[in-house]
Amino acid sequence: MTAAAARSRTDICIGDITVAVHSSNAAFLQLLEDRYAGFLQHAAAPDYQFEVELTPPSEGSPDDDVSVYRRNGRWLLERGDFRAEWDPAARQGRIRQSANPYSIDSMLRIVHTLVLAREGGFLMHAASAVRNGRAFVFAGVSGAGKTTLARLAPADADVLSDEISYVRKEAGGYYAYGTPFAGELARSGENLRAPLEAIYLLAQGAENRVETMGKADAARGILANILFFAEDVEMVQAVFLSALELVERVPVRRLTFLPDIRIWELIH
Amino acid sequence: MNANRYIARAADVAARMIGGEMMIMSGADSSLYSLNETASILWQAADGVTPLAQIVERHICADYAVDPATALRDAEELAQDLARHGILLLADAPVPDATLRDTVPPARESP
């Protein structure tokens, strides 16, 4: 019997926020433990708890659009392959999905975006890495070079993610955290945390170059790379204002690069 | 053209001046807008109770070499454009509640 089978829940800790996933299906919990290895941390008092109701695998498609909206204080998260409800005040929710790691992965991303939006943080389409105790975030759309940059990271850098970066606003400023949300690298990031030193907006070009950016252009670039799914006026406004605050407080630069390891010489 | 028109900031938007640009996001559909200098002036003065003509006279004609009739016509066209995007209300009567809206909140302190 595995450790997962002996328990009825798996605790997944990302960004210092623990979500306990409850299920009576030991095989499913083992699936989660494999998927989130490196981000498992048992918590006596998890921040949030979700009960999983497993359905037959034929229901719905993960390619459908996701819908996230609030009704009577509860968040409803729906996509073809899952339906979840979450009461943030009670810190509890339920998800109905088949026994796969992808549906709950999406649910976790959405829940984290909602939690972070309340405190001025974000999930971003970005690679990120820690070097010399400082975190650097490299934001860009698909194809911008996030995975390439992560692959080129020097030996003394710890990659936090090659796809989805996690930024929290804390008492001392902004911090980047590792995530298990991987892109083409197909590998979870390191479960580390470091103060955010700078954000680079990626562009591919004929040479390696770093350019300073005006605040307004930086804000547009940051906003274009924030993950946020909720159809909710109040939360959208909060994310917008938080993004502009981030731009005021953290350097944002444009990074044009070749797929060349020397690009890391410009990162500091 | 009705000279006694009023403009008010829409309630479901967030706005902030950054890098010399007034940036506005619609909370309804996440559309992002960036206003030019004249539009920013109108936006910031759009309290719902000051007539558009008075805003133009005070904030545009006073600072720019433009005749009042032309400035008002341009301002009304601009206001109509912003209203079409749902980020400004254009009304024939005052919109007093608009004075209570704070869509440009002050910078927040770190916790």
Side-chain angles (χ1 to χ4, degrees):
Chain A
M1 179 179 287
T2 65
R7 298 196 303 271
S8 61
R9 83 181 212 211
T10 293
D11 294 355
I12 302 164
C13 184
I14 303 166
D16 264 350
I17 295 170
T18 302
V19 176
V21 179
H22 296 256
S23 173
S24 58
N25 187 311
F28 178 67
L29 290 179
Q30 187 61 55
L31 194 69
L32 296 186
E33 300 214 347
D34 294 340
R35 164 70 183 88
Y36 295 103
F39 290 84
L40 303 173
Q41 183 177 308
H42 180 70
D47 296 289
Y48 302 101
Q49 308 208 42
F50 277 84
E51 186 70 41
V52 180
E53 179 188 346
L54 293 177
T55 62
S58 59
E59 283 193 18
S61 165
D63 295 328
D64 292 347
D65 287 339
V66 69
S67 175
V68 181
Y69 56 99
R70 187 162 39 174
R71 183 182 293 161
N72 300 326
R74 287 173 169 257
W75 286 103
L76 301 175
L77 294 54
E78 296 173 345
R79 199 174 65 182
D81 58 325
F82 72 86
R83 184 176 192 282
E85 283 190 27
W86 176 47
D87 182 343
R91 297 179 171 269
Q92 293 185 339
R94 297 177 59 82
I95 179 169
R96 192 169 187 274
Q97 62 157 91
S98 65
N100 75 82
Y102 312 112
S103 303
I104 202 159
D105 201 81
S106 296
M107 187 207 73
L108 285 173
R109 294 181 196 203
I110 294 167
V111 167
H112 279 276
T113 63
L114 294 171
V115 172
L116 291 175
R118 286 280 180 211
E119 58 179 49
F122 317 92
L123 290 189
M124 298 180 70
H125 286 292
S128 47
V130 175
R131 200 175 189 198
N132 299 322
R134 299 176 300 162
F136 301 90
V137 167
F138 306 94
V141 296
S142 182
K146 298 188 293 294
T147 298
T148 302
L149 206 66
R151 281 200 182 104
L152 293 172
D156 64 345
D158 292 302
V159 174
L160 298 176
S161 176
D162 73 322
E163 179 70 14
I164 305 291
S165 291
Y166 198 109
V167 175
R168 284 194 81 170
K169 183 184 171 195
E170 301 178 6
Y174 290 90
Y175 286 78
Y177 286 76
T179 79
F181 306 130
E184 293 172 32
L185 212 52
R187 193 171 69 222
S188 287
E190 296 295 327
N191 191 357
L192 297 171
R193 157 189 188 274
L196 178 56
E197 181 73 14
I199 299 174
Y200 294 88
L201 298 176
L202 297 179
Q204 293 187 352
E207 60 177 346
N208 291 333
R209 188 171 71 245
V210 174
E211 298 165 280
T212 58
M213 298 183 72
K215 298 283 188 193
D217 282 341
R220 276 186 280 272
I222 295 295
L223 284 163
N225 286 292
I226 288 176
L227 275 80
F228 197 69
F229 310 93
E231 300 154 32
D232 187 275
V233 169
E234 180 194 342
M235 297 293 268
V236 168
Q237 291 176 332
V239 169
F240 168 73
L241 294 173
S242 295
L244 268 53
E245 185 178 355
L246 175 76
V247 167
E248 294 282 15
R249 296 177 57 180
V250 175
V252 179
R253 304 174 184 127
R254 181 175 289 111
L255 176 64
T256 304
F257 76 106
L258 293 162
D260 179 333
I261 196 169
R262 287 173 298 179
I263 186 60
W264 277 89
E265 295 170 6
L266 300 180
I267 308 303
H268 51 77
Chain B
M1 183 163 56
N2 180 359
N4 294 316
R5 303 204 79 180
Y6 298 84
I7 55 175
R9 297 185 286 267
D12 61 355
V13 301
R16 182 168 287 181
M17 185 72 83
I18 184 165
E21 285 186 34
M22 177 61 74
M23 298 188 78
I24 300 174
M25 178 163 276
S26 163
D29 62 7
S30 300
S31 296
L32 182 65
Y33 302 92
S34 181
L35 303 188
N36 64 23
E37 190 175 353
T38 308
S40 295
I41 291 169
L42 290 185
W43 172 266
Q44 289 174 298
D47 60 5
V49 295
T50 306
L52 180 58
Q54 198 172 325
I55 290 172
V56 169
E57 184 184 340
R58 278 185 194 165
H59 299 285
I60 296 178
C61 294
D63 294 333
Y64 300 87
V66 57
D67 79 87
T70 302
L72 182 57
R73 187 178 64 241
D74 291 349
E76 180 142 342
E77 285 177 7
L78 184 54
Q80 285 172 345
D81 188 39
L82 297 178
R84 271 194 294 275
H85 288 292
I87 60 176
L88 196 74
L89 306 177
L90 186 59
D92 291 330
V95 189
D97 288 351
T99 58
L100 301 176
R101 293 177 193 150
D102 180 13
T103 53
V104 193
R108 289 169 288 176
E109 295 295 321
S110 298

